[in-house]
Amino acid sequence: MESAIDWHRARALLEWQLELGVDETISDAPIDRFALERALREKAATPAVAVADKAPAPPAETRVDPVAVARQAADAAGDLEALRAALGGFEHCELKKGARNLVFSDGVPGARVMIVGEAPGRDEDREGRPFVGRAGQLLDRMLAAIGLARAESVYITNVLPWRPPQNRDPKPDEIAMMQPFLRRHIALAAPELLIITGNISAHALLGKRGITRLRGTWTEALGLPAMPMVHPAYLLRTPLAKREAWVDLLEIQARLRQGT
């Protein structure tokens, strides 16, 4: 049976419908467009969920505790040379990257008196020894005034073995990670008394700051008698403070004569 509409007329009607926006036919049964869209979303999400369920969990980030590493390395050192090597191999302090040399110690290991300074300066960084600049020269004269000398009767170290950039004060985290090495250093050197010079040293060994208030009064650090003193660099800037430093030196001399 032939259609009542010829081919050309039928084509013209279809084109007219397309121009009006009719782009799909209507079936006999209604279509739930919302259900169709929901099914497509669920289908698209299902493979991703399955992959995520099967994929192994990423490993948890491992954080290194520099203080714990320092404590372990320091405790393992059986003598001063081993402690120097442990410090040289410690890679968690950023100061090491900008320093020329490790500044470990100077003087006589096992001496009755051990001096703890703050941190190396430019001259110390260059030579690899503590207290060799102007402040070190003044320290030598101060020690000589009470019959002491680094080459014979004094052992010297610093809280930090590497020079901070531009001689800035050490940061709390830098002091914290060097404390285990400092404590072990004092234990291995086994002095009879400590001279603690400057705020940084007082903070590291006494947990206190305000060296101008602390100086001149005997205290205890790591089970040893300790005399806090202003740093020789402070005396270079403040010559009037030399009178009080002289009083502190006489206290140290008297203590040594009494056998501590």
Side-chain angles (χ1 to χ4, degrees):
M1 180 177 179
E2 294 184 359
S3 172
I5 303 177
D6 62 27
W7 182 88
H8 294 285
R9 186 176 181 185
R11 177 184 175 88
L13 287 173
L14 286 174
E15 290 178 351
W16 175 70
Q17 288 180 340
L18 287 173
E19 290 179 1
L20 292 177
V22 178
D23 55 2
E24 59 182 310
T25 60
I26 299 175
S27 63
D28 295 334
I31 298 175
D32 187 346
R33 301 292 181 181
F34 296 104
L36 178 61
E37 183 179 355
R38 184 167 55 251
L40 291 174
R41 286 201 306 266
E42 291 175 355
K43 183 178 180 180
T46 299
V49 172
V51 172
D53 289 341
K54 295 178 181 179
E61 182 181 357
T62 302
R63 297 193 61 184
V64 176
D65 181 357
V67 177
V69 175
R71 187 180 301 113
Q72 183 177 10
D75 290 346
D79 55 34
L80 291 173
E81 283 304 314
L83 185 66
R84 179 195 288 268
L87 262 174
F90 187 73
E91 300 295 339
H92 300 284
C93 184
E94 291 296 317
L95 296 178
K96 180 179 180 180
K97 298 178 181 179
R100 293 184 179 181
N101 287 299
L102 168 71
V103 180
F104 185 69
S105 68
D106 198 14
V108 182
R112 297 179 68 191
V113 178
M114 183 171 181
I115 299 174
V116 180
E118 297 181 324
R122 180 187 59 188
D123 296 324
E124 289 78 13
D125 182 42
R126 183 171 58 244
E127 295 192 27
R129 295 189 299 125
F131 284 100
V132 295
R134 291 182 61 221
Q137 295 166 9
L138 176 57
L139 176 64
D140 288 340
R141 295 196 296 270
M142 293 167 62
L143 294 173
I146 58 172
L148 299 175
R150 74 169 75 197
E152 300 172 359
S153 52
V154 174
Y155 186 63
I156 306 174
T157 190
N158 283 321
V159 173
L160 268 67
W162 298 291
R163 180 193 181 193
Q166 307 301 318
N167 290 346
R168 64 160 173 77
D169 283 349
K171 299 177 182 178
D173 64 316
E174 294 166 346
I175 296 173
M177 70 179 72
M178 290 298 106
Q179 274 184 319
F181 291 109
L182 176 60
R183 290 170 176 268
R184 186 61 176 159
H185 201 156
I186 294 171
L188 292 172
E192 293 182 15
L193 63 84
L194 296 172
I195 300 176
I196 300 172
T197 62
N199 262 324
I200 303 303
S201 307
H203 176 64
L205 290 173
L206 303 176
K208 301 176 182 178
R209 287 182 177 268
I211 193 64
T212 55
R213 298 190 306 273
L214 296 171
R215 58 138 297 273
T217 302
W218 285 102
T219 184
E220 184 176 293
L222 304 181
L224 296 170
M227 172 60 73
M229 293 184 63
V230 297
H231 197 280
Y234 175 81
L235 298 176
L236 291 174
R237 300 190 302 269
T238 316
L240 291 177
K242 290 181 179 180
R243 182 189 300 272
E244 295 174 340
W246 174 241
V247 173
D248 299 344
L249 289 171
L250 292 177
E251 282 285 337
I252 295 167
Q253 185 182 53
R255 190 74 177 246
L256 290 171
R257 287 176 176 173
Q258 294 169 5
T260 70

